[in-house]
Coordinates of all heavy atoms in Angstrom, one line a residue:
M333 N -2.5 -79.6 72.5 CA -2.7 -80.6 71.5 C -3.2 -81.9 72.2 O -2.7 -82.2 73.3 CB -1.4 -80.8 70.8 CG -1.7 -81.8 69.7 SD -0.6 -81.6 68.3 CE 0.4 -80.2 68.6
A334 N -4.1 -82.5 71.6 CA -4.6 -83.8 72.2 C -4.8 -84.8 71.1 O -5.0 -84.5 70.0 CB -5.9 -83.5 72.9
Y335 N -4.7 -86.0 71.6 CA -5.0 -87.2 70.7 C -6.6 -87.2 70.6 O -7.3 -87.1 71.6 CB -4.5 -88.4 71.4 CG -4.9 -89.7 70.7 CD1 -4.1 -90.2 69.7 CD2 -5.9 -90.5 71.2 CE1 -4.4 -91.4 69.1 CE2 -6.2 -91.7 70.6 CZ -5.4 -92.1 69.5 OH -5.7 -93.3 68.9
S336 N -7.1 -87.4 69.4 CA -8.5 -87.4 69.3 C -9.0 -88.5 68.5 O -10.1 -88.5 67.8 CB -9.1 -86.1 68.8 OG -8.9 -85.9 67.4
G337 N -8.3 -89.6 68.5 CA -8.8 -90.8 67.8 C -7.7 -91.3 66.9 O -6.7 -90.6 66.7
P338 N -7.8 -92.5 66.3 CA -6.7 -93.0 65.5 C -6.4 -92.1 64.3 O -7.2 -91.7 63.6 CB -7.3 -94.3 64.9 CG -8.4 -94.7 65.9 CD -8.9 -93.4 66.5
G339 N -5.1 -91.7 64.3 CA -4.7 -90.8 63.2 C -5.1 -89.4 63.2 O -5.0 -88.7 62.3
K340 N -5.7 -89.0 64.4 CA -6.2 -87.7 64.5 C -5.6 -86.9 65.6 O -5.4 -87.4 66.7 CB -7.7 -87.7 64.7 CG -8.5 -88.1 63.4 CD -10.0 -88.0 63.7 CE -10.7 -88.6 62.5 NZ -12.1 -89.0 62.9
L341 N -5.3 -85.6 65.4 CA -4.9 -84.7 66.4 C -5.9 -83.6 66.6 O -6.5 -83.2 65.6 CB -3.5 -84.1 66.0 CG -2.3 -85.1 66.0 CD1 -1.1 -84.4 65.4 CD2 -2.0 -85.5 67.4
R342 N -6.0 -83.1 67.7 CA -6.8 -81.9 67.9 C -5.9 -80.8 68.5 O -5.3 -81.0 69.5 CB -7.9 -82.2 68.9 CG -8.9 -81.1 69.1 CD -10.1 -81.5 69.9 NE -9.9 -82.8 70.5 CZ -10.7 -83.3 71.4 NH1 -11.7 -82.6 71.8 NH2 -10.4 -84.4 72.0
L343 N -6.0 -79.7 67.8 CA -5.2 -78.5 68.3 C -6.1 -77.7 69.2 O -7.3 -77.4 68.8 CB -4.7 -77.7 67.2 CG -3.6 -78.4 66.3 CD1 -3.3 -77.5 65.1 CD2 -2.3 -78.6 67.1
I344 N -5.6 -77.3 70.4 CA -6.4 -76.5 71.3 C -5.8 -75.2 71.6 O -4.6 -75.2 71.9 CB -6.6 -77.3 72.6 CG1 -7.3 -78.6 72.3 CG2 -7.4 -76.5 73.6 CD1 -7.1 -79.7 73.4
V345 N -6.5 -74.1 71.4 CA -6.0 -72.8 71.8 C -6.9 -72.2 72.8 O -8.1 -72.5 72.9 CB -5.9 -71.9 70.5 CG1 -4.7 -72.4 69.6 CG2 -7.2 -71.9 69.7
D346 N -6.3 -71.2 73.5 CA -7.1 -70.6 74.6 C -8.2 -69.8 74.1 O -9.3 -69.7 74.6 CB -6.2 -69.7 75.5 CG -5.2 -70.5 76.3 OD1 -5.5 -71.7 76.6 OD2 -4.1 -70.0 76.6
S347 N -8.0 -69.1 73.0 CA -9.0 -68.3 72.4 C -8.8 -68.1 70.9 O -7.6 -68.2 70.4 CB -9.1 -66.9 73.1 OG -7.9 -66.2 72.8
G348 N -9.8 -67.9 70.1 CA -9.7 -67.6 68.7 C -9.4 -68.9 67.9 O -9.6 -70.0 68.4
E349 N -8.8 -68.6 66.7 CA -8.5 -69.7 65.8 C -7.1 -70.3 66.1 O -6.2 -69.6 66.6 CB -8.5 -69.1 64.4 CG -9.9 -68.6 63.9 CD -10.8 -69.8 63.5 OE1 -10.3 -70.6 62.6 OE2 -11.9 -69.9 64.0
V350 N -7.0 -71.5 65.7 CA -5.6 -72.1 65.7 C -4.8 -71.5 64.6 O -5.2 -71.4 63.5 CB -5.7 -73.7 65.5 CG1 -4.3 -74.3 65.4 CG2 -6.5 -74.3 66.6
P351 N -3.6 -70.9 65.0 CA -2.8 -70.3 63.9 C -2.4 -71.3 62.8 O -2.1 -72.4 63.1 CB -1.5 -69.8 64.7 CG -1.9 -69.9 66.2 CD -3.0 -70.9 66.3
D352 N -2.3 -70.8 61.6 CA -1.9 -71.6 60.5 C -0.6 -72.2 60.7 O -0.3 -73.4 60.3 CB -1.9 -70.8 59.2 CG -3.3 -70.5 58.7 OD1 -4.3 -71.2 59.2 OD2 -3.5 -69.5 57.9
E353 N 0.3 -71.4 61.3 CA 1.7 -71.9 61.6 C 1.6 -73.2 62.4 O 2.3 -74.2 62.2 CB 2.5 -70.8 62.3 CG 3.9 -71.1 62.2 CD 4.7 -70.0 63.0 OE1 4.1 -68.9 63.3 OE2 5.9 -70.2 63.3
A354 N 0.8 -73.2 63.5 CA 0.6 -74.3 64.4 C 0.1 -75.5 63.6 O 0.5 -76.7 63.8 CB -0.2 -74.0 65.6
K355 N -0.9 -75.3 62.7 CA -1.5 -76.4 61.9 C -0.4 -77.0 61.0 O -0.3 -78.2 60.9 CB -2.6 -75.8 61.1 CG -3.9 -75.5 61.8 CD -5.0 -75.1 60.8 CE -6.1 -74.3 61.5 NZ -6.9 -73.6 60.6
A356 N 0.4 -76.1 60.4 CA 1.5 -76.6 59.5 C 2.5 -77.4 60.3 O 2.9 -78.5 59.9 CB 2.2 -75.4 58.9
I357 N 2.9 -77.0 61.5 CA 3.8 -77.7 62.3 C 3.2 -79.1 62.7 O 3.9 -80.1 62.6 CB 4.3 -76.9 63.6 CG1 5.1 -75.7 63.1 CG2 5.0 -77.8 64.5 CD1 5.3 -74.7 64.3
A358 N 2.0 -79.0 63.1 CA 1.3 -80.3 63.5 C 1.2 -81.3 62.4 O 1.5 -82.5 62.6 CB -0.1 -80.0 64.1
S359 N 0.9 -80.8 61.2 CA 0.7 -81.8 60.1 C 2.1 -82.3 59.6 O 2.2 -83.4 59.2 CB -0.2 -81.2 59.0 OG 0.5 -80.3 58.2
N360 N 3.1 -81.4 59.7 CA 4.4 -81.8 59.3 C 5.0 -82.9 60.2 O 5.9 -83.7 59.8 CB 5.4 -80.7 59.2 CG 5.1 -79.8 58.0 OD1 4.5 -80.2 57.1 ND2 5.6 -78.5 58.1
H361 N 4.6 -82.8 61.5 CA 5.2 -83.8 62.5 C 4.2 -84.7 63.0 O 4.3 -85.3 64.1 CB 5.8 -83.0 63.6 CG 6.9 -82.1 63.2 ND1 8.2 -82.5 63.0 CD2 7.0 -80.8 62.9 CE1 9.0 -81.5 62.6 NE2 8.2 -80.5 62.5
K362 N 3.1 -85.0 62.2 CA 2.0 -85.7 62.7 C 2.4 -87.1 63.2 O 2.0 -87.5 64.3 CB 0.9 -85.9 61.6 CG -0.4 -86.3 62.1 CD -1.4 -86.1 61.0 CE -2.8 -86.6 61.5 NZ -3.8 -86.6 60.4
P363 N 3.2 -87.9 62.5 CA 3.5 -89.3 63.0 C 4.1 -89.3 64.3 O 3.8 -90.0 65.2 CB 4.4 -89.8 61.9 CG 4.1 -89.1 60.7 CD 3.8 -87.7 61.1
E364 N 5.1 -88.3 64.5 CA 5.8 -88.3 65.8 C 4.8 -87.8 66.9 O 4.9 -88.3 68.0 CB 7.0 -87.3 65.8 CG 8.0 -87.6 64.7 CD 7.8 -86.8 63.4 OE1 6.8 -87.1 62.8 OE2 8.7 -86.0 63.1
L365 N 4.0 -86.9 66.6 CA 3.1 -86.3 67.6 C 2.1 -87.4 68.0 O 1.8 -87.6 69.2 CB 2.4 -85.1 67.1 CG 3.2 -83.9 66.9 CD1 2.5 -82.8 66.1 CD2 3.6 -83.3 68.3
L366 N 1.6 -88.1 67.0 CA 0.6 -89.2 67.4 C 1.3 -90.3 68.2 O 0.7 -90.7 69.2 CB 0.1 -89.8 66.1 CG -1.0 -89.0 65.3 CD1 -1.2 -89.6 64.0 CD2 -2.2 -89.0 66.2
E367 N 2.5 -90.6 67.9 CA 3.2 -91.6 68.6 C 3.3 -91.2 70.1 O 3.2 -91.9 71.0 CB 4.6 -91.8 68.0 CG 5.5 -92.8 68.7 CD 4.9 -94.2 68.5 OE1 4.2 -94.5 67.5 OE2 5.2 -95.1 69.4
H368 N 3.6 -89.9 70.3 CA 3.8 -89.3 71.6 C 2.5 -89.3 72.4 O 2.5 -89.5 73.6 CB 4.4 -87.9 71.5 CG 4.7 -87.3 72.8 ND1 5.7 -87.7 73.6 CD2 4.1 -86.2 73.4 CE1 5.7 -87.0 74.7 NE2 4.8 -86.1 74.6
L369 N 1.4 -88.9 71.7 CA 0.2 -88.6 72.4 C -0.7 -89.9 72.6 O -1.6 -89.9 73.5 CB -0.7 -87.6 71.7 CG 0.0 -86.2 71.6 CD1 -0.7 -85.4 70.5 CD2 -0.2 -85.5 73.0
R370 N -0.5 -90.9 71.8 CA -1.3 -92.1 71.8 C -1.2 -92.8 73.2 O -0.1 -92.8 73.8 CB -0.8 -93.0 70.7 CG -1.7 -94.2 70.5 CD -1.1 -95.1 69.5 NE 0.3 -95.4 69.9 CZ 1.1 -96.1 69.2 NH1 0.8 -96.5 68.0 NH2 2.3 -96.4 69.7
P371 N -2.3 -93.3 73.7 CA -2.2 -94.1 74.9 C -1.2 -95.2 74.8 O -1.2 -95.9 73.8 CB -3.6 -94.6 75.1 CG -4.5 -93.8 74.3 CD -3.7 -93.3 73.1
N372 N -0.2 -95.3 75.7 CA 0.8 -96.3 75.6 C 0.4 -97.6 76.1 O 1.0 -98.3 77.0 CB 2.0 -95.9 76.4 CG 2.8 -94.8 75.7 OD1 2.8 -94.7 74.4 ND2 3.3 -93.8 76.4
C373 N -0.8 -98.1 75.7 CA -1.3 -99.3 76.3 C -1.9 -100.2 75.2 O -2.9 -99.8 74.6 CB -2.4 -98.9 77.3 SG -3.2 -100.3 78.1
R374 N -1.3 -101.3 75.0 CA -1.8 -102.2 74.0 C -3.0 -103.0 74.4 O -4.0 -103.1 73.6 CB -0.7 -103.2 73.6 CG 0.4 -102.6 72.7 CD 1.4 -103.6 72.3 NE 2.4 -103.0 71.4 CZ 2.2 -102.8 70.1 NH1 1.1 -103.3 69.6 NH2 3.1 -102.2 69.4
P375 N -3.0 -103.5 75.6 CA -4.2 -104.2 76.0 C -5.5 -103.4 75.9 O -6.6 -104.0 75.8 CB -4.0 -104.5 77.5 CG -2.5 -104.5 77.7 CD -2.0 -103.5 76.7
H376 N -5.4 -102.1 75.9 CA -6.4 -101.2 75.6 C -7.3 -101.5 74.5 O -8.4 -101.2 74.4 CB -5.6 -99.9 75.2 CG -6.1 -98.7 75.8 ND1 -5.7 -98.2 77.0 CD2 -7.1 -97.9 75.4 CE1 -6.4 -97.1 77.2 NE2 -7.2 -96.9 76.3
N377 N -6.7 -102.1 73.4 CA -7.4 -102.4 72.2 C -8.2 -103.7 72.3 O -8.9 -104.1 71.4 CB -6.5 -102.5 71.0 CG -5.8 -101.1 70.8 OD1 -6.4 -100.1 71.0 ND2 -4.5 -101.2 70.5
N378 N -8.1 -104.4 73.4 CA -8.7 -105.7 73.6 C -9.9 -105.5 74.5 O -9.8 -105.2 75.7 CB -7.7 -106.7 74.2 CG -8.3 -108.0 74.3 OD1 -9.5 -108.2 74.2 ND2 -7.5 -109.0 74.6
P379 N -11.1 -105.7 74.0 CA -12.4 -105.6 74.8 C -12.4 -106.4 76.1 O -13.1 -106.1 77.0 CB -13.5 -105.9 73.9 CG -12.9 -105.7 72.5 CD -11.5 -106.0 72.6
D380 N -11.6 -107.5 76.1 CA -11.5 -108.4 77.3 C -10.9 -107.6 78.4 O -11.1 -108.0 79.6 CB -10.6 -109.6 77.0 CG -11.3 -110.6 76.1 OD1 -12.5 -110.5 75.9 OD2 -10.6 -111.5 75.6
N381 N -10.2 -106.5 78.2 CA -9.6 -105.7 79.2 C -10.4 -104.5 79.6 O -9.9 -103.7 80.4 CB -8.2 -105.3 78.8 CG -7.2 -106.5 78.7 OD1 -7.2 -107.3 79.5 ND2 -6.5 -106.5 77.6
Y382 N -11.6 -104.4 79.1 CA -12.4 -103.3 79.5 C -13.2 -103.6 80.8 O -13.7 -104.7 81.0 CB -13.5 -103.0 78.4 CG -12.9 -102.5 77.1 CD1 -11.6 -102.4 76.9 CD2 -13.8 -102.2 76.0 CE1 -11.1 -101.9 75.7 CE2 -13.3 -101.8 74.8 CZ -11.9 -101.6 74.6 OH -11.5 -101.2 73.4
I383 N -13.3 -102.6 81.6 CA -14.1 -102.6 82.8 C -15.4 -101.8 82.4 O -15.3 -100.6 82.1 CB -13.5 -102.0 84.0 CG1 -12.2 -102.8 84.3 CG2 -14.4 -102.1 85.2 CD1 -11.3 -102.1 85.4
D384 N -16.5 -102.5 82.4 CA -17.8 -101.9 82.0 C -18.6 -101.5 83.2 O -18.9 -102.4 84.0 CB -18.6 -102.8 81.1 CG -17.9 -103.0 79.7 OD1 -17.1 -102.2 79.3 OD2 -18.1 -104.1 79.1
T385 N -19.0 -100.3 83.3 CA -19.9 -99.8 84.3 C -21.0 -99.0 83.7 O -20.8 -98.4 82.7 CB -19.1 -98.9 85.4 OG1 -18.5 -97.9 84.7 CG2 -18.1 -99.7 86.2
P386 N -22.2 -99.0 84.4 CA -23.3 -98.2 83.8 C -22.9 -96.8 83.8 O -22.2 -96.3 84.7 CB -24.4 -98.5 84.8 CG -24.0 -99.7 85.6 CD -22.5 -99.8 85.6
A387 N -23.2 -96.1 82.7 CA -22.8 -94.7 82.6 C -23.7 -93.8 83.4 O -24.9 -93.9 83.3 CB -22.9 -94.3 81.1
Q388 N -23.1 -93.0 84.3 CA -23.8 -92.1 85.1 C -24.5 -91.1 84.3 O -23.9 -90.4 83.4 CB -22.8 -91.3 86.0 CG -22.2 -92.1 87.1 CD -23.1 -92.4 88.2 OE1 -24.0 -91.7 88.5 NE2 -22.9 -93.5 88.9
G389 N -25.8 -91.0 84.5 CA -26.6 -89.9 83.7 C -26.9 -90.3 82.3 O -27.3 -89.4 81.5
R390 N -26.5 -91.5 81.9 CA -26.8 -91.9 80.5 C -27.4 -93.2 80.5 O -26.8 -94.2 80.2 CB -25.5 -91.9 79.7 CG -24.9 -90.5 79.5 CD -23.6 -90.6 78.6 NE -23.9 -90.7 77.2 CZ -23.0 -90.6 76.2 NH1 -21.8 -90.4 76.5 NH2 -23.4 -90.8 75.0
P391 N -28.7 -93.3 80.7 CA -29.4 -94.6 80.8 C -29.2 -95.3 79.5 O -29.3 -94.8 78.4 CB -30.9 -94.2 81.0 CG -30.9 -92.8 81.5 CD -29.6 -92.1 81.0
G392 N -29.0 -96.6 79.6 CA -28.8 -97.4 78.4 C -27.4 -97.4 77.8 O -27.2 -98.1 76.8
W393 N -26.5 -96.8 78.5 CA -25.1 -96.7 78.0 C -24.2 -97.3 79.0 O -24.4 -97.3 80.2 CB -24.7 -95.3 77.7 CG -25.3 -94.7 76.5 CD1 -26.7 -94.4 76.3 CD2 -24.7 -94.5 75.2 NE1 -26.9 -94.0 75.1 CE2 -25.7 -94.1 74.3 CE3 -23.4 -94.7 74.7 CZ2 -25.4 -93.8 73.0 CZ3 -23.1 -94.4 73.4 CH2 -24.2 -93.9 72.6
I394 N -23.1 -97.8 78.5 CA -22.0 -98.4 79.3 C -20.8 -97.5 79.2 O -20.4 -97.0 78.1 CB -21.7 -99.8 78.9 CG1 -22.8 -100.8 79.3 CG2 -20.3 -100.3 79.4 CD1 -22.7 -102.1 78.7
R395 N -20.1 -97.3 80.3 CA -18.8 -96.6 80.3 C -17.7 -97.6 80.5 O -17.7 -98.3 81.4 CB -18.9 -95.6 81.5 CG -17.6 -94.7 81.6 CD -17.8 -93.8 82.8 NE -16.8 -92.7 82.8 CZ -15.6 -92.8 83.2 NH1 -15.1 -93.9 83.7 NH2 -14.7 -91.8 83.1
S396 N -16.8 -97.6 79.6 CA -15.7 -98.5 79.6 C -14.4 -97.8 80.0 O -14.0 -96.8 79.5 CB -15.5 -99.2 78.3 OG -16.6 -99.9 77.9
T397 N -13.7 -98.5 81.0 CA -12.3 -98.0 81.3 C -11.4 -99.2 81.1 O -11.8 -100.4 81.1 CB -12.2 -97.5 82.7 OG1 -12.8 -98.5 83.6 CG2 -12.9 -96.2 82.9
C398 N -10.1 -99.0 81.0 CA -9.1 -100.0 80.7 C -8.6 -100.6 82.0 O -8.2 -99.9 82.9 CB -7.9 -99.4 80.0 SG -6.6 -100.6 79.6
R399 N -8.7 -101.9 82.1 CA -8.3 -102.7 83.3 C -6.8 -102.5 83.6 O -6.4 -102.6 84.7 CB -8.6 -104.2 83.1 CG -8.5 -105.1 84.2 CD -8.6 -106.5 83.8 NE -9.9 -106.8 83.1 CZ -11.1 -107.0 83.8 NH1 -11.1 -107.0 85.1 NH2 -12.2 -107.2 83.1
V400 N -6.1 -102.3 82.5 CA -4.6 -102.3 82.6 C -4.1 -100.9 83.0 O -3.3 -100.8 84.0 CB -4.0 -102.8 81.3 CG1 -2.4 -102.8 81.4 CG2 -4.4 -104.2 81.0
C401 N -4.5 -99.9 82.3 CA -3.9 -98.6 82.6 C -4.9 -97.7 83.3 O -4.5 -96.6 83.8 CB -3.4 -97.9 81.3 SG -4.7 -97.5 80.2
G402 N -6.1 -98.1 83.4 CA -7.1 -97.3 84.1 C -7.7 -96.1 83.2 O -8.5 -95.3 83.7
C403 N -7.3 -96.0 82.0 CA -7.7 -94.9 81.1 C -9.2 -95.1 80.8 O -9.7 -96.2 80.6 CB -7.0 -94.9 79.8 SG -5.5 -94.0 79.9
F404 N -9.9 -94.0 80.6 CA -11.2 -94.0 80.1 C -11.2 -94.3 78.6 O -10.4 -93.8 77.9 CB -11.9 -92.6 80.3 CG -13.1 -92.4 79.5 CD1 -14.3 -93.1 79.9 CD2 -13.2 -91.6 78.4 CE1 -15.5 -92.9 79.2 CE2 -14.3 -91.4 77.7 CZ -15.5 -92.1 78.1
I405 N -12.0 -95.3 78.2 CA -12.0 -95.7 76.8 C -13.2 -95.1 76.0 O -13.0 -94.5 74.9 CB -12.0 -97.2 76.7 CG1 -10.7 -97.8 77.2 CG2 -12.2 -97.7 75.2 CD1 -10.6 -99.3 77.4
G406 N -14.4 -95.2 76.5 CA -15.5 -94.6 75.8 C -16.8 -95.1 76.3 O -16.9 -95.9 77.3
Y407 N -17.8 -94.6 75.7 CA -19.2 -95.0 76.0 C -19.7 -95.8 74.8 O -19.3 -95.6 73.7 CB -20.1 -93.8 76.1 CG -19.8 -92.9 77.3 CD1 -19.2 -91.7 77.2 CD2 -20.3 -93.3 78.6 CE1 -18.9 -91.0 78.4 CE2 -20.1 -92.6 79.7 CZ -19.4 -91.4 79.6 OH -19.2 -90.6 80.7
R408 N -20.6 -96.8 75.2 CA -21.3 -97.5 74.1 C -22.7 -97.9 74.6 O -22.9 -98.0 75.8 CB -20.5 -98.7 73.6 CG -20.2 -99.7 74.6 CD -19.4 -100.8 74.1 NE -18.7 -101.6 75.1 CZ -19.3 -102.6 75.8 NH1 -20.6 -103.0 75.5 NH2 -18.7 -103.3 76.7
P409 N -23.6 -98.1 73.7 CA -25.0 -98.5 74.1 C -24.9 -99.9 74.7 O -24.1 -100.7 74.2 CB -25.8 -98.5 72.8 CG -24.9 -97.8 71.8 CD -23.5 -97.9 72.3
I410 N -25.7 -100.2 75.7 CA -25.8 -101.5 76.3 C -26.1 -102.6 75.2 O -25.6 -103.7 75.2 CB -26.7 -101.6 77.5 CG1 -26.1 -100.8 78.7 CG2 -27.1 -103.0 77.8 CD1 -27.1 -100.6 79.8
A411 N -27.1 -102.2 74.4 CA -27.6 -103.2 73.4 C -26.6 -103.8 72.4 O -26.5 -105.0 72.3 CB -28.8 -102.6 72.7
G412 N -25.8 -102.9 71.8 CA -24.9 -103.4 70.7 C -23.5 -103.1 71.1 O -23.2 -102.7 72.1
R413 N -22.6 -103.4 70.1 CA -21.3 -102.9 70.3 C -20.6 -102.6 69.0 O -21.2 -102.6 68.0 CB -20.4 -104.0 71.0 CG -20.5 -105.4 70.6 CD -19.5 -106.1 71.4 NE -18.4 -105.2 71.7 CZ -17.6 -105.4 72.8 NH1 -17.8 -106.3 73.7 NH2 -16.6 -104.5 73.0
Ligands
ZN1226 ZN1 -5.1 -99.2 78.7

Protein backbone atom coordinates (compact mmCIF):
# COMPACT_ATOMS: atom_id res chain seq x y z
CA MET A 1 0.00 0.00 0.00
CA ALA A 2 1.26 3.44 -0.82
CA TYR A 3 0.33 7.02 -0.37
CA SER A 4 -0.64 8.41 -3.76
CA GLY A 5 -1.68 11.97 -3.09
CA PRO A 6 -3.89 13.87 -0.65
CA GLY A 7 -6.70 11.59 0.49
CA LYS A 8 -5.64 8.78 -1.80
CA LEU A 9 -4.25 5.34 -1.22
CA ARG A 10 -2.90 2.95 -3.78
CA LEU A 11 -3.15 -0.76 -3.20
CA ILE A 12 -0.34 -2.76 -4.74
CA VAL A 13 -0.42 -6.50 -5.34
CA ASP A 14 2.24 -8.76 -6.82
CA SER A 15 -0.04 -10.07 -9.53
CA GLY A 16 -3.66 -9.93 -10.62
CA GLU A 17 -6.39 -7.83 -9.08
CA VAL A 18 -6.48 -6.28 -5.64
CA PRO A 19 -8.80 -8.55 -3.60
CA ASP A 20 -12.15 -6.99 -2.66
CA GLU A 21 -11.43 -7.84 0.95
CA ALA A 22 -8.27 -5.73 0.88
CA LYS A 23 -10.14 -2.84 -0.72
CA ALA A 24 -12.80 -3.04 1.98
CA ILE A 25 -10.22 -3.05 4.76
CA ALA A 26 -8.37 -0.15 3.19
CA SER A 27 -11.49 1.96 2.80
CA ASN A 28 -12.73 1.15 6.31
CA HIS A 29 -9.43 2.27 7.81
CA LYS A 30 -8.57 4.99 5.35
CA PRO A 31 -8.02 7.89 7.79
CA GLU A 32 -5.61 5.87 9.93
CA LEU A 33 -3.78 4.49 6.93
CA LEU A 34 -3.39 7.91 5.39
CA GLU A 35 -2.10 9.27 8.65
CA HIS A 36 0.46 6.51 8.76
CA LEU A 37 1.60 6.72 5.14
CA ARG A 38 1.63 10.47 4.68
CA PRO A 39 5.03 12.12 4.66
CA ASN A 40 5.63 13.31 8.21
CA CYS A 41 6.97 16.63 7.11
CA ARG A 42 5.10 19.88 7.34
CA PRO A 43 7.68 22.16 5.72
CA HIS A 44 7.13 19.91 2.77
CA ASN A 45 4.04 21.90 1.87
CA ASN A 46 5.95 25.15 1.65
CA PRO A 47 7.57 25.83 -1.73
CA ASP A 48 10.24 27.87 0.07
CA ASN A 49 11.62 24.55 1.29
CA TYR A 50 11.86 22.99 -2.13
CA ILE A 51 15.22 22.31 -3.70
CA ASP A 52 14.75 22.70 -7.43
CA THR A 53 17.08 20.99 -9.87
CA PRO A 54 16.74 20.49 -13.63
CA ALA A 55 14.99 17.18 -14.27
CA GLN A 56 17.28 14.59 -15.81
CA GLY A 57 15.97 13.54 -19.20
CA ARG A 58 13.02 15.94 -19.04
CA PRO A 59 13.98 19.17 -20.76
CA GLY A 60 11.91 22.11 -19.56
CA TRP A 61 11.05 20.45 -16.25
CA ILE A 62 12.18 20.97 -12.69
CA ARG A 63 12.54 18.22 -10.13
CA SER A 64 11.77 19.31 -6.57
CA THR A 65 12.95 17.68 -3.38
CA CYS A 66 12.28 18.76 0.20
CA ARG A 67 15.08 20.67 1.91
CA VAL A 68 13.94 19.41 5.30
CA CYS A 69 13.34 15.69 4.91
CA GLY A 70 14.99 15.07 1.55
CA CYS A 71 11.89 13.49 0.05
CA PHE A 72 11.14 13.72 -3.63
CA ILE A 73 8.18 16.08 -4.10
CA GLY A 74 7.50 16.17 -7.80
CA TYR A 75 8.15 17.52 -11.23
CA ARG A 76 6.84 20.76 -12.67
CA PRO A 77 7.40 22.74 -15.85
CA ILE A 78 10.00 25.47 -15.60
CA ALA A 79 7.65 28.04 -17.08
CA GLY A 80 4.72 27.90 -14.67
CA ARG A 81 3.79 26.51 -11.32
ZN1 LIG B 1 9.74 17.22 3.61
